[in-house]
């Protein structure tokens, strides 16, 4: 069984009267790609700042490999890589100079430094632009370099704070690929985003943060199980026999919110659809409208908080 | 290692902005030049409404024999006499060419030029005929208007466009010459009374009508022996001294002749040398002895802005977060930021002193090896202040406001724009609270002909203390988050 690399234990952070974090607790296993999902202002960046030794918690503790993460702890910092939400690279320096500068700050020198710089340039596909000043780069290239700077020293834990903000789809895919590759190579990653699709596509386990609280934390399938699938169908008429037959389907509940409109709630919408279609044919009914909704994180968030993720 | 990495990066960023680097180096010399043009030599002169008597001293001596003036040439005696006149300031111009140029440009109304034979001519002045002066005919320096300048080889170059001012200077020199030369001539003539040649001449000339009863002596002094004649000479001298008691006829100087107390030493600054500089840039002008150090000090404190901007830029572009997340201490970040600014400030200081010497002919004084110490101490204080501003300012605008306000106010109060010596005395004491004042004190001391090294080291020590206090405050106030 893998052990927890990162432990977050009842971490709280107050800014005056504002409670940015209200007792957040979770663990991230070694080699896990953990997603932290939440709307803007949920406390994701505050949490990442605490985990990056940039901020001290008001209460609680975060531990890396069992060691407390403290504000001025240089050892912890060496083991952590941070990709800040905003770009954090020098526009007047070249890509190579940026990488070399931050590499030196993390203690890399000489041949090792050169080797790592070249390797990262290849990884983030900027080898051919290594000598160009960053100011001349596109937004996506800058984002890739922003990521490259953070992985240069091979951190144990990589914290990505909304790393795809303002990035074109091509660069986003490249960043996803790179995140997956790093995770495959054994790096533990905490990925925060308010884009449900990103977290859903990348992360094996997800914590949902809202108003400074972790309101859910589980694997994606387990989170989705919190919700049922839905099928909404409008028919020319709804015979009683049909309604009765549908109610007899396993794990399906039916309601008629409007005349001639049926709403089916079920564990898996696709499976229920396979059962529904023969029944309609049997009653010689053609749907006027048909809509299916599988559970997703957006609906999970709505279910848990009563509001949409992007509100 | 991390400190050097940080410092190297900032230095690279500073140098990469070549336009800023050029401006950083070029603006101070332009500042010196413009300020020099606007203020002229007044910047190094206290407000002075004394009458300036301009002279060129080409006199080659010799000093007067047996006179009361020691080894001074006659031109120096006249200059001293002029300098002792209340309300007069004597300005010595190094060369006749410079003097003629100044007159031609209308900057000076008249210049008295002591020609090379001036002392010889004054030495030859005498009331007596050549039989009493070793066979040489004495020069009569007087004429209807007073002293005859030409007879003494004293040339007065006048600006025809300023006849009144030139006339005043002429009269002042007339009076001074009259005092110096006439008293010398009277004293010299009086000495002759006791000399045998004078008594012999007297014996030839004194004729007495023989008495009826006594011996018929027509020239009574002739019958006296040499010794008796000397006694007569001394007696006549003594009698004359007795008869003209209010005067000391042996005096040879005006104050001695008139039985007055010797003149007090000339007032400070009443005898100065003109340093107008040359060429388009007025190279060598005295003003640059003030303006070059002033600009060097003033602009070293402009590092405040550069450093503040470096910090703000680090915040703005988000890289400060990375630095804080990196395995660096606050001290390393602070020092890593200080070092490049210190390096730039040191380079700028040395560059300006070299440029000041090459472009403006500024002189480094007799102990130039101490200048780098003053540059370093000043830069340290400036960078400390820069750190303090950087620790307080959060935006470029705040840096500009804090920085410019501090640099200008402290610069003006510290004497970088106008010398502190010309400020009211109470204000001068307060200006010592600024590092700029101590830096300028150190420079001014070093540029003197005989600098007080202890005073320079004290100023450097105070500047270092300023640097430590500023840096300490910055350390306490700096918030990297």
């Amino acid at each position: 069984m893998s052990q927890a690399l990162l432990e977050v234990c009842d971490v709280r952070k107050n800014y005056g009267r504002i409670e940015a974090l209200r007792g957040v607790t979770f663990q991230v296993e070694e080699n896990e790609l953990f997603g932290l999902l939440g709307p803007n202002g949920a406390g994701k960046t505050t949490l990442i700042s605490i985990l990056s030794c940039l901020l001290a918690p008001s209460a609680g503790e975060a531990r890396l490999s069992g060691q407390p993460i403290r504000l001025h702890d240089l050892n912890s910092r060496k083991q952590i890589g941070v990709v800040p939400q905003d770009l954090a690279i020098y526009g007047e320096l070249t890509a190579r100079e940026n990488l070399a500068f931050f590499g030196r700050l993390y203690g890399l020198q000489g041949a090792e430094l050169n080797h790592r710089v070249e390797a990262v340039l290849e990884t983030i596909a900027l080898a051919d632009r290594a000598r160009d000043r960053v100011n001349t780069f596109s937004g996506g290239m800058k984002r890739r370099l922003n990521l490259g700077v953070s992985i240069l020293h091979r951190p144990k834990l990589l914290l990505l704070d909304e790393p795809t903000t303002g990035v074109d789809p091509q660069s986003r895919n490249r960043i996803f690929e790179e995140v997956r590759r790093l995770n495959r190579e054994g790096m533990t990653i905490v990925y925060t985003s308010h884009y449900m699709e990103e977290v859903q596509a990348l992360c094996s386990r997800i914590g949902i943060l809202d108003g400074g609280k972790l309101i859910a934390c589980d694997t994606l399938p387990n989170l989705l199980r919190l919700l049922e699938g839905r099928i909404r169908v409008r028919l020319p008429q709804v015979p009683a026999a049909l309604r009765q037959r549908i109610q007899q389907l396993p794990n399906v509940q039916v309601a008629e919110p409007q005349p001639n409109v049926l709403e089916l709630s079920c564990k898996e919408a696709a499976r229920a659809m396979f059962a529904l279609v023969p029944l309609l044919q049997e009653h010689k009914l053609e749907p006027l409208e048909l809509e299916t909704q599988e559970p997703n994180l957006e609906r999970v968030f709505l279910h848990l908080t009563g509001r949409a993720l992007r509100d | 290692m991390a400190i050097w990495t940080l410092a190297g990066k900032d230095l690279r960023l500073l140098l990469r902005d070549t336009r800023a680097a050029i401006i950083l180096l070029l603006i101070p010399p332009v500042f010196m030049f413009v300020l020099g043009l606007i203020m002229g030599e007044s910047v190094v002169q206290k407000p002075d409404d004394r009458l300036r008597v301009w002279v060129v001293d080409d006199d080659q001596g010799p000093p007067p024999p047996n006179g009361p003036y020691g080894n001074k040439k006659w031109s120096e005696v006249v200059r001293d006499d002029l300098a002792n006149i209340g309300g007069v300031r004597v300005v010595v111009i190094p060369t006749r060419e410079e003097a003629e140029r100044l007159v031609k440009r209308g900057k000076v109304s008249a210049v008295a030029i002591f020609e090379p034979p001036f002392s010889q001519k004054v030495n030859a002045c005498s009331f007596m005929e050549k039989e009493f002066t070793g066979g040489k005919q004495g020069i009569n320096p007087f004429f209807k208007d007073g002293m005859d300048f030409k007879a003494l080889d004293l040339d007065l170059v006048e600006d025809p466009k300023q006849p009144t001012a030139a006339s005043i200077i002429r009269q002042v020199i007339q009076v001074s010459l009259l005092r110096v030369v006439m008293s010398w001539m009277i004293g010299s003539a009086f000495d002759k009374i006791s000399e045998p040649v004078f008594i012999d001449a007297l014996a030839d000339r004194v004729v007495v009508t023989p008495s009826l009863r006594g011996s018929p002596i027509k020239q009574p002094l002739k019958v006296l022996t040499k010794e008796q004649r000397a006694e007569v000479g001394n007696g006549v001298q003594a009698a004359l001294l007795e008869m003209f008691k209010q005067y000391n006829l042996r005096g040879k100087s005006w104050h001695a002749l008139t039985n007055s107390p010797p003149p007090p030493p000339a007032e400070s600054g009443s005898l100065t040398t003109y340093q107008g500089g040359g060429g388009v840039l007025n190279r060598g002008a005295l003003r640059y002895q003030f303006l070059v150090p002033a600009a060097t000090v003033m602009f070293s404190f402009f590092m405040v802005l550069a450093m503040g901007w470096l910090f703000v830029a680090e915040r703005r572009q988000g890289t400060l977060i990375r630095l804080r997340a990196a395995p660096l201490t606050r001290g390393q970040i602070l020092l890593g930021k200080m070092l490049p600014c210190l390096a730039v400030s040191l380079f700028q200081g040395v560059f300006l002193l070299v440029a000041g010497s090459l472009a403006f002919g500024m002189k480094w004084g007799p102990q130039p090896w101490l200048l780098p110490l003053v540059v370093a101490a000043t830069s340290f204080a400036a960078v400390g202040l820069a750190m303090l501003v950087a620790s307080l300012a959060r935006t470029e605008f705040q840096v500009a406001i804090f920085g410019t306000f501090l640099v200008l106010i402290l610069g003006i109060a510290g004497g970088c724009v106008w010398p502190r010596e010309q400020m009211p005395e109470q204000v001068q004491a307060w200006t010592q609270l600024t590092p700029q004042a101590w830096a300028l004190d150190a420079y001014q001391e070093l540029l003197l002909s005989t600098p007080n090294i202890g005073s320079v080291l004290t100023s450097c020590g105070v500047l270092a203390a300023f640097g430590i206090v500023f840096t300490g405050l910055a350390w306490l106030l700096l918030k990297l988050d």
Side-chain angles (χ1 to χ4, degrees), chain A residues 54 77 82 87-90 92 97 106 133 146 150, chain B residues 9 12 16 314 317-318 322 324-328:
Chain A
L54 296 176
R77 290 183 189 186
V82 188
L87 287 172
I89 42 180
Y90 297 101
E92 287 299 318
E97 285 168 345
Y106 280 87
R133 288 194 195 179
N146 204 32
S150 310
Chain B
K9 183 267 298 174
R12 182 174 286 180
R16 202 153 275 184
E314 205 78 77
Q317 60 197 6
R322 272 205 196 282
R324 287 171 54 219
L328 297 171

PDB file of all heavy atoms in Angstrom, chain A residues 54 77 82 87-90 92 97 106 133 146 150, chain B residues 9 12 16 314 317-318 322 324-328:
ATOM      1  N   LEU A  54       4.844  29.456   1.476  1.00  0.00           N
ATOM      2  CA  LEU A  54       4.728  30.900   1.252  1.00  0.00           C
ATOM      3  C   LEU A  54       3.865  31.550   2.316  1.00  0.00           C
ATOM      4  O   LEU A  54       3.888  32.772   2.486  1.00  0.00           O
ATOM      5  CB  LEU A  54       4.099  31.180  -0.118  1.00  0.00           C
ATOM      6  CG  LEU A  54       4.890  30.738  -1.339  1.00  0.00           C
ATOM      7  CD1 LEU A  54       4.089  30.988  -2.608  1.00  0.00           C
ATOM      8  CD2 LEU A  54       6.210  31.476  -1.401  1.00  0.00           C
ATOM      9  N   ARG A  77      11.124  23.314   0.922  1.00  0.00           N
ATOM     10  CA  ARG A  77      11.059  24.048  -0.345  1.00  0.00           C
ATOM     11  C   ARG A  77      11.819  23.331  -1.455  1.00  0.00           C
ATOM     12  O   ARG A  77      11.415  23.363  -2.612  1.00  0.00           O
ATOM     13  CB  ARG A  77      11.656  25.449  -0.182  1.00  0.00           C
ATOM     14  CG  ARG A  77      10.802  26.353   0.665  1.00  0.00           C
ATOM     15  CD  ARG A  77      11.409  27.725   0.719  1.00  0.00           C
ATOM     16  NE  ARG A  77      10.737  28.558   1.693  1.00  0.00           N
ATOM     17  CZ  ARG A  77      10.983  29.847   1.864  1.00  0.00           C
ATOM     18  NH1 ARG A  77      11.897  30.446   1.127  1.00  0.00           N
ATOM     19  NH2 ARG A  77      10.345  30.533   2.775  1.00  0.00           N
ATOM     20  N   VAL A  82       6.607  24.630  -7.489  1.00  0.00           N
ATOM     21  CA  VAL A  82       5.356  25.396  -7.520  1.00  0.00           C
ATOM     22  C   VAL A  82       5.175  26.016  -8.904  1.00  0.00           C
ATOM     23  O   VAL A  82       6.090  26.654  -9.424  1.00  0.00           O
ATOM     24  CB  VAL A  82       5.393  26.537  -6.476  1.00  0.00           C
ATOM     25  CG1 VAL A  82       4.015  27.188  -6.380  1.00  0.00           C
ATOM     26  CG2 VAL A  82       5.830  26.035  -5.122  1.00  0.00           C
ATOM     27  N   LEU A  87       1.967  33.960 -14.307  1.00  0.00           N
ATOM     28  CA  LEU A  87       3.301  33.669 -14.839  1.00  0.00           C
ATOM     29  C   LEU A  87       4.350  34.201 -13.884  1.00  0.00           C
ATOM     30  O   LEU A  87       4.190  35.293 -13.322  1.00  0.00           O
ATOM     31  CB  LEU A  87       3.480  34.324 -16.206  1.00  0.00           C
ATOM     32  CG  LEU A  87       2.721  33.686 -17.359  1.00  0.00           C
ATOM     33  CD1 LEU A  87       2.837  34.560 -18.593  1.00  0.00           C
ATOM     34  CD2 LEU A  87       3.268  32.297 -17.650  1.00  0.00           C
ATOM     35  N   ALA A  88       5.412  33.453 -13.700  1.00  0.00           N
ATOM     36  CA  ALA A  88       6.465  33.886 -12.783  1.00  0.00           C
ATOM     37  C   ALA A  88       7.815  33.607 -13.428  1.00  0.00           C
ATOM     38  O   ALA A  88       8.593  32.766 -12.973  1.00  0.00           O
ATOM     39  CB  ALA A  88       6.323  33.168 -11.452  1.00  0.00           C
ATOM     40  N   ILE A  89       8.053  34.293 -14.513  1.00  0.00           N
ATOM     41  CA  ILE A  89       9.311  34.149 -15.241  1.00  0.00           C
ATOM     42  C   ILE A  89       9.749  35.536 -15.699  1.00  0.00           C
ATOM     43  O   ILE A  89       8.947  36.465 -15.724  1.00  0.00           O
ATOM     44  CB  ILE A  89       9.165  33.208 -16.471  1.00  0.00           C
ATOM     45  CG1 ILE A  89       7.849  33.518 -17.186  1.00  0.00           C
ATOM     46  CG2 ILE A  89       9.245  31.758 -16.061  1.00  0.00           C
ATOM     47  CD1 ILE A  89       7.585  32.667 -18.391  1.00  0.00           C
ATOM     48  N   TYR A  90      11.040  35.668 -16.018  1.00  0.00           N
ATOM     49  CA  TYR A  90      11.590  36.978 -16.399  1.00  0.00           C
ATOM     50  C   TYR A  90      11.498  37.177 -17.911  1.00  0.00           C
ATOM     51  O   TYR A  90      12.128  36.451 -18.682  1.00  0.00           O
ATOM     52  CB  TYR A  90      13.040  37.093 -15.945  1.00  0.00           C
ATOM     53  CG  TYR A  90      13.180  37.039 -14.451  1.00  0.00           C
ATOM     54  CD1 TYR A  90      13.581  35.871 -13.815  1.00  0.00           C
ATOM     55  CD2 TYR A  90      12.877  38.140 -13.667  1.00  0.00           C
ATOM     56  CE1 TYR A  90      13.688  35.814 -12.434  1.00  0.00           C
ATOM     57  CE2 TYR A  90      12.975  38.092 -12.292  1.00  0.00           C
ATOM     58  CZ  TYR A  90      13.383  36.928 -11.676  1.00  0.00           C
ATOM     59  OH  TYR A  90      13.476  36.873 -10.314  1.00  0.00           O
ATOM     60  N   GLU A  92      12.677  39.539 -19.730  1.00  0.00           N
ATOM     61  CA  GLU A  92      13.876  40.068 -20.391  1.00  0.00           C
ATOM     62  C   GLU A  92      14.987  39.022 -20.501  1.00  0.00           C
ATOM     63  O   GLU A  92      15.995  39.256 -21.159  1.00  0.00           O
ATOM     64  CB  GLU A  92      14.421  41.281 -19.619  1.00  0.00           C
ATOM     65  CG  GLU A  92      13.583  42.537 -19.780  1.00  0.00           C
ATOM     66  CD  GLU A  92      13.498  43.000 -21.222  1.00  0.00           C
ATOM     67  OE1 GLU A  92      14.509  42.966 -21.918  1.00  0.00           O
ATOM     68  OE2 GLU A  92      12.389  43.377 -21.663  1.00  0.00           O
ATOM     69  N   GLU A  97      18.083  31.110 -19.918  1.00  0.00           N
ATOM     70  CA  GLU A  97      18.556  31.892 -18.757  1.00  0.00           C
ATOM     71  C   GLU A  97      17.583  31.771 -17.585  1.00  0.00           C
ATOM     72  O   GLU A  97      18.004  31.676 -16.430  1.00  0.00           O
ATOM     73  CB  GLU A  97      18.722  33.359 -19.154  1.00  0.00           C
ATOM     74  CG  GLU A  97      19.950  33.620 -20.002  1.00  0.00           C
ATOM     75  CD  GLU A  97      19.961  35.014 -20.633  1.00  0.00           C
ATOM     76  OE1 GLU A  97      18.904  35.680 -20.651  1.00  0.00           O
ATOM     77  OE2 GLU A  97      21.026  35.418 -21.125  1.00  0.00           O
ATOM     78  N   TYR A 106      18.032  26.429  -6.801  1.00  0.00           N
ATOM     79  CA  TYR A 106      17.719  25.154  -6.150  1.00  0.00           C
ATOM     80  C   TYR A 106      18.966  24.290  -6.008  1.00  0.00           C
ATOM     81  O   TYR A 106      18.866  23.099  -5.745  1.00  0.00           O
ATOM     82  CB  TYR A 106      16.630  24.422  -6.923  1.00  0.00           C
ATOM     83  CG  TYR A 106      15.247  24.960  -6.610  1.00  0.00           C
ATOM     84  CD1 TYR A 106      14.729  26.033  -7.309  1.00  0.00           C
ATOM     85  CD2 TYR A 106      14.477  24.411  -5.590  1.00  0.00           C
ATOM     86  CE1 TYR A 106      13.476  26.550  -7.012  1.00  0.00           C
ATOM     87  CE2 TYR A 106      13.236  24.923  -5.287  1.00  0.00           C
ATOM     88  CZ  TYR A 106      12.727  25.984  -5.999  1.00  0.00           C
ATOM     89  OH  TYR A 106      11.487  26.481  -5.684  1.00  0.00           O
ATOM     90  N   ARG A 133      14.301  35.741 -25.998  1.00  0.00           N
ATOM     91  CA  ARG A 133      13.768  36.348 -24.777  1.00  0.00           C
ATOM     92  C   ARG A 133      12.305  35.957 -24.603  1.00  0.00           C
ATOM     93  O   ARG A 133      11.559  35.888 -25.582  1.00  0.00           O
ATOM     94  CB  ARG A 133      13.892  37.863 -24.830  1.00  0.00           C
ATOM     95  CG  ARG A 133      15.323  38.294 -24.684  1.00  0.00           C
ATOM     96  CD  ARG A 133      15.423  39.755 -24.393  1.00  0.00           C
ATOM     97  NE  ARG A 133      16.807  40.197 -24.604  1.00  0.00           N
ATOM     98  CZ  ARG A 133      17.210  41.429 -24.445  1.00  0.00           C
ATOM     99  NH1 ARG A 133      16.360  42.366 -24.097  1.00  0.00           N
ATOM    100  NH2 ARG A 133      18.476  41.746 -24.641  1.00  0.00           N
ATOM    101  N   ASN A 146       6.803  28.329 -17.643  1.00  0.00           N
ATOM    102  CA  ASN A 146       6.425  28.485 -16.235  1.00  0.00           C
ATOM    103  C   ASN A 146       6.395  27.120 -15.543  1.00  0.00           C
ATOM    104  O   ASN A 146       6.846  26.971 -14.407  1.00  0.00           O
ATOM    105  CB  ASN A 146       5.042  29.139 -16.168  1.00  0.00           C
ATOM    106  CG  ASN A 146       4.799  29.863 -14.866  1.00  0.00           C
ATOM    107  OD1 ASN A 146       5.731  30.391 -14.275  1.00  0.00           O
ATOM    108  ND2 ASN A 146       3.556  29.876 -14.426  1.00  0.00           N
ATOM    109  N   SER A 150       9.455  24.960 -12.794  1.00  0.00           N
ATOM    110  CA  SER A 150       9.066  24.318 -11.532  1.00  0.00           C
ATOM    111  C   SER A 150       9.517  22.868 -11.427  1.00  0.00           C
ATOM    112  O   SER A 150       9.574  22.326 -10.328  1.00  0.00           O
ATOM    113  CB  SER A 150       7.544  24.363 -11.381  1.00  0.00           C
ATOM    114  OG  SER A 150       7.087  25.653 -11.598  1.00  0.00           O
TER     115      SER A 150
ATOM    116  N   LYS B   9      21.670  37.921 -11.878  1.00  0.00           N
ATOM    117  CA  LYS B   9      20.455  38.049 -12.689  1.00  0.00           C
ATOM    118  C   LYS B   9      20.006  39.508 -12.779  1.00  0.00           C
ATOM    119  O   LYS B   9      19.700  40.021 -13.860  1.00  0.00           O
ATOM    120  CB  LYS B   9      19.357  37.180 -12.060  1.00  0.00           C
ATOM    121  CG  LYS B   9      18.041  37.134 -12.798  1.00  0.00           C
ATOM    122  CD  LYS B   9      17.037  38.146 -12.324  1.00  0.00           C
ATOM    123  CE  LYS B   9      16.637  37.941 -10.880  1.00  0.00           C
ATOM    124  NZ  LYS B   9      15.763  38.996 -10.361  1.00  0.00           N
ATOM    125  N   ARG B  12      22.283  41.522 -14.887  1.00  0.00           N
ATOM    126  CA  ARG B  12      22.036  41.217 -16.296  1.00  0.00           C
ATOM    127  C   ARG B  12      20.792  41.952 -16.792  1.00  0.00           C
ATOM    128  O   ARG B  12      20.783  42.517 -17.881  1.00  0.00           O
ATOM    129  CB  ARG B  12      21.848  39.714 -16.450  1.00  0.00           C
ATOM    130  CG  ARG B  12      21.645  39.271 -17.871  1.00  0.00           C
ATOM    131  CD  ARG B  12      21.601  37.784 -17.968  1.00  0.00           C
ATOM    132  NE  ARG B  12      22.925  37.193 -17.805  1.00  0.00           N
ATOM    133  CZ  ARG B  12      23.172  35.899 -17.856  1.00  0.00           C
ATOM    134  NH1 ARG B  12      22.205  35.063 -18.044  1.00  0.00           N
ATOM    135  NH2 ARG B  12      24.394  35.429 -17.718  1.00  0.00           N
ATOM    136  N   ARG B  16      20.860  44.773 -19.586  1.00  0.00           N
ATOM    137  CA  ARG B  16      20.151  44.448 -20.816  1.00  0.00           C
ATOM    138  C   ARG B  16      19.310  45.638 -21.284  1.00  0.00           C
ATOM    139  O   ARG B  16      19.025  45.791 -22.460  1.00  0.00           O
ATOM    140  CB  ARG B  16      19.288  43.213 -20.591  1.00  0.00           C
ATOM    141  CG  ARG B  16      18.944  42.513 -21.842  1.00  0.00           C
ATOM    142  CD  ARG B  16      18.696  41.057 -21.618  1.00  0.00           C
ATOM    143  NE  ARG B  16      19.923  40.279 -21.629  1.00  0.00           N
ATOM    144  CZ  ARG B  16      19.954  38.960 -21.536  1.00  0.00           C
ATOM    145  NH1 ARG B  16      18.850  38.289 -21.408  1.00  0.00           N
ATOM    146  NH2 ARG B  16      21.102  38.316 -21.553  1.00  0.00           N
ATOM    147  N   GLU B 314       9.731  42.648  -9.647  1.00  0.00           N
ATOM    148  CA  GLU B 314       9.757  41.257  -9.170  1.00  0.00           C
ATOM    149  C   GLU B 314       8.364  40.851  -8.678  1.00  0.00           C
ATOM    150  O   GLU B 314       7.899  39.751  -8.936  1.00  0.00           O
ATOM    151  CB  GLU B 314      10.783  41.165  -8.043  1.00  0.00           C
ATOM    152  CG  GLU B 314      11.404  39.824  -7.808  1.00  0.00           C
ATOM    153  CD  GLU B 314      12.494  39.446  -8.797  1.00  0.00           C
ATOM    154  OE1 GLU B 314      13.627  39.938  -8.694  1.00  0.00           O
ATOM    155  OE2 GLU B 314      12.191  38.638  -9.663  1.00  0.00           O
ATOM    156  N   GLN B 317       5.790  40.898 -11.934  1.00  0.00           N
ATOM    157  CA  GLN B 317       5.867  39.777 -12.874  1.00  0.00           C
ATOM    158  C   GLN B 317       5.773  38.433 -12.163  1.00  0.00           C
ATOM    159  O   GLN B 317       5.943  37.389 -12.786  1.00  0.00           O
ATOM    160  CB  GLN B 317       7.125  39.868 -13.737  1.00  0.00           C
ATOM    161  CG  GLN B 317       8.416  39.846 -12.983  1.00  0.00           C
ATOM    162  CD  GLN B 317       9.576  40.340 -13.832  1.00  0.00           C
ATOM    163  OE1 GLN B 317       9.391  40.805 -14.941  1.00  0.00           O
ATOM    164  NE2 GLN B 317      10.770  40.262 -13.292  1.00  0.00           N
ATOM    165  N   GLY B 318       5.478  38.477 -10.873  1.00  0.00           N
ATOM    166  CA  GLY B 318       5.163  37.240 -10.152  1.00  0.00           C
ATOM    167  C   GLY B 318       6.374  36.444  -9.717  1.00  0.00           C
ATOM    168  O   GLY B 318       6.250  35.424  -9.047  1.00  0.00           O
ATOM    169  N   ARG B 322       8.126  33.038  -6.799  1.00  0.00           N
ATOM    170  CA  ARG B 322       9.083  31.951  -7.031  1.00  0.00           C
ATOM    171  C   ARG B 322      10.300  32.075  -6.117  1.00  0.00           C
ATOM    172  O   ARG B 322      10.802  31.075  -5.610  1.00  0.00           O
ATOM    173  CB  ARG B 322       9.554  31.968  -8.477  1.00  0.00           C
ATOM    174  CG  ARG B 322       8.685  31.196  -9.395  1.00  0.00           C
ATOM    175  CD  ARG B 322       9.478  30.729 -10.602  1.00  0.00           C
ATOM    176  NE  ARG B 322       8.575  30.329 -11.643  1.00  0.00           N
ATOM    177  CZ  ARG B 322       7.925  29.173 -11.661  1.00  0.00           C
ATOM    178  NH1 ARG B 322       8.088  28.304 -10.679  1.00  0.00           N
ATOM    179  NH2 ARG B 322       7.115  28.881 -12.653  1.00  0.00           N
ATOM    180  N   ARG B 324      10.398  33.474  -3.252  1.00  0.00           N
ATOM    181  CA  ARG B 324       9.997  33.129  -1.882  1.00  0.00           C
ATOM    182  C   ARG B 324       9.795  31.631  -1.725  1.00  0.00           C
ATOM    183  O   ARG B 324      10.000  31.082  -0.647  1.00  0.00           O
ATOM    184  CB  ARG B 324       8.713  33.876  -1.519  1.00  0.00           C
ATOM    185  CG  ARG B 324       8.939  35.364  -1.284  1.00  0.00           C
ATOM    186  CD  ARG B 324       7.609  36.068  -1.145  1.00  0.00           C
ATOM    187  NE  ARG B 324       6.792  35.431  -0.122  1.00  0.00           N
ATOM    188  CZ  ARG B 324       5.472  35.248  -0.220  1.00  0.00           C
ATOM    189  NH1 ARG B 324       4.832  35.654  -1.291  1.00  0.00           N
ATOM    190  NH2 ARG B 324       4.811  34.665   0.744  1.00  0.00           N
ATOM    191  N   ALA B 325       9.377  30.982  -2.804  1.00  0.00           N
ATOM    192  CA  ALA B 325       9.147  29.540  -2.731  1.00  0.00           C
ATOM    193  C   ALA B 325      10.449  28.759  -2.888  1.00  0.00           C
ATOM    194  O   ALA B 325      10.515  27.578  -2.558  1.00  0.00           O
ATOM    195  CB  ALA B 325       8.163  29.117  -3.807  1.00  0.00           C
ATOM    196  N   ALA B 326      11.482  29.424  -3.380  1.00  0.00           N
ATOM    197  CA  ALA B 326      12.779  28.769  -3.570  1.00  0.00           C
ATOM    198  C   ALA B 326      13.491  28.658  -2.219  1.00  0.00           C
ATOM    199  O   ALA B 326      13.153  29.366  -1.280  1.00  0.00           O
ATOM    200  CB  ALA B 326      13.619  29.579  -4.551  1.00  0.00           C
ATOM    201  N   PRO B 327      14.450  27.753  -2.119  1.00  0.00           N
ATOM    202  CA  PRO B 327      15.156  27.596  -0.836  1.00  0.00           C
ATOM    203  C   PRO B 327      16.116  28.755  -0.571  1.00  0.00           C
ATOM    204  O   PRO B 327      17.337  28.602  -0.600  1.00  0.00           O
ATOM    205  CB  PRO B 327      15.896  26.264  -1.001  1.00  0.00           C
ATOM    206  CG  PRO B 327      16.026  26.072  -2.463  1.00  0.00           C
ATOM    207  CD  PRO B 327      14.868  26.743  -3.104  1.00  0.00           C
ATOM    208  N   LEU B 328      15.547  29.927  -0.349  1.00  0.00           N
ATOM    209  CA  LEU B 328      16.333  31.139  -0.095  1.00  0.00           C
ATOM    210  C   LEU B 328      15.857  31.774   1.202  1.00  0.00           C
ATOM    211  O   LEU B 328      14.654  31.761   1.479  1.00  0.00           O
ATOM    212  CB  LEU B 328      16.122  32.166  -1.207  1.00  0.00           C
ATOM    213  CG  LEU B 328      16.544  31.809  -2.619  1.00  0.00           C
ATOM    214  CD1 LEU B 328      16.040  32.874  -3.581  1.00  0.00           C
ATOM    215  CD2 LEU B 328      18.053  31.720  -2.690  1.00  0.00           C
TER     216      LEU B 328
END
